[in-house]
Amino acid sequence: FMAYPKVSVDFETTDNLFASATNTQSDTLWRIRPELSIESGWSRNALSAYVRGAFTRYNDFTTEDTDIFGAGFQTRLDAARFSSLEFGADYSDGFEPRTSPGSPGTNVDPIDYRQTNVFGSFSHQSNRTTISSRADWRGYDYDDGFTVLNSVIDQDFRDREVVSLTGRVSYEVSPATSWFVQGTVNSRKYDSGAVWDSDGHEVLAGVAFEVTR
């Protein structure tokens, strides 16, 4: 296994910290992003994992300080010479930006939420044709916010699960070019009830190609 540690430091300024149309507030902030990723480096099959964080500190409005954590892994099993299975999962505990369209706007502190992602995929190549499929599950869990008067701002209605299934068939006409057809169906289920639920689908067809220098 190979380990890849990394740390980045950002400095930012903003002239409208709370994304408000009136009484705008400015501030400066520092953000530190440590990360550690691990990769197997095997000739067949693969396993990788990571842990990361983002720690933001404001100069004036310290109530906006946030600590964000995330971790995940991905594995690939080469079942046969031209077939492979992949599986992975991610988890993050973070805060919603003030500029997010879903942010209530009257909350004292940023809205805390957790996101979980799980996926599995399969791919098989036969001559010039590649068939692949993928299943994704995403879960969102929001904490309630509070006003300056300590009144609860309900956010449970935003808790939801999203499931999507994708299938794709591609045909290689050259080493750098292939035609493809892809279809996806998805379903969103909210904990608050069926009024927010939805189902959708998407069909794509086109050409994929590599651009070389």
Side-chain angles (χ1 to χ4, degrees), residues 73-74 86-90 115-122 132-140 160-167 182-189:
F73 76 94
Q74 181 172 334
E86 291 192 23
F87 177 78
D90 300 271
Q115 180 177 345
T116 305
N117 305 316
V118 179
F119 83 90
S121 66
F122 171 77
S132 60
S133 60
R134 177 176 172 127
D136 289 86
W137 177 90
R138 299 191 302 275
Y140 301 85
R160 63 191 183 274
E161 296 181 355
V162 181
V163 177
S164 63
L165 301 173
T166 301
Q182 177 177 302
T184 302
V185 294
N186 60 75
S187 176
R188 291 171 173 81
K189 302 296 182 183

Side-chain angles (χ1 to χ4, degrees), residues 28-49:
T28 58
L29 65 95
W30 289 92
R31 182 177 295 112
I32 302 176
R33 304 175 188 264
E35 180 177 346
L36 175 64
S37 59
I38 300 174
E39 298 180 2
S40 60
W42 301 329
S43 58
R44 285 182 57 83
N45 307 319
L47 176 64
S48 61

Side-chain angles (χ1 to χ4, degrees), residues 48-61:
S48 61
Y50 72 88
V51 291
R52 64 170 64 114
F55 308 100
T56 304
R57 295 295 180 265
Y58 287 82
N59 184 49
D60 296 323
F61 295 92

Side-chain angles (χ1 to χ4, degrees), residues 148-162:
V148 293
L149 298 177
N150 207 34
S151 298
V152 176
I153 305 175
D154 178 42
Q155 295 295 294
D156 289 334
F157 73 94
R158 302 172 66 188
D159 296 349
R160 63 191 183 274
E161 296 181 355
V162 181

Side-chain angles (χ1 to χ4, degrees), residues 76-119:
R76 188 192 75 244
L77 175 63
D78 297 324
R81 184 178 180 184
F82 298 107
S83 301
S84 64
L85 295 166
E86 291 192 23
F87 177 78
D90 300 271
Y91 174 83
S92 62
D93 188 342
F95 293 86
E96 189 174 49
R98 293 284 188 176
T99 53
S100 173
S103 179
T106 56
N107 47 304
V108 174
D109 299 323
I111 297 297
D112 185 12
Y113 76 99
R114 288 153 298 282
Q115 180 177 345
T116 305
N117 305 316
V118 179
F119 83 90

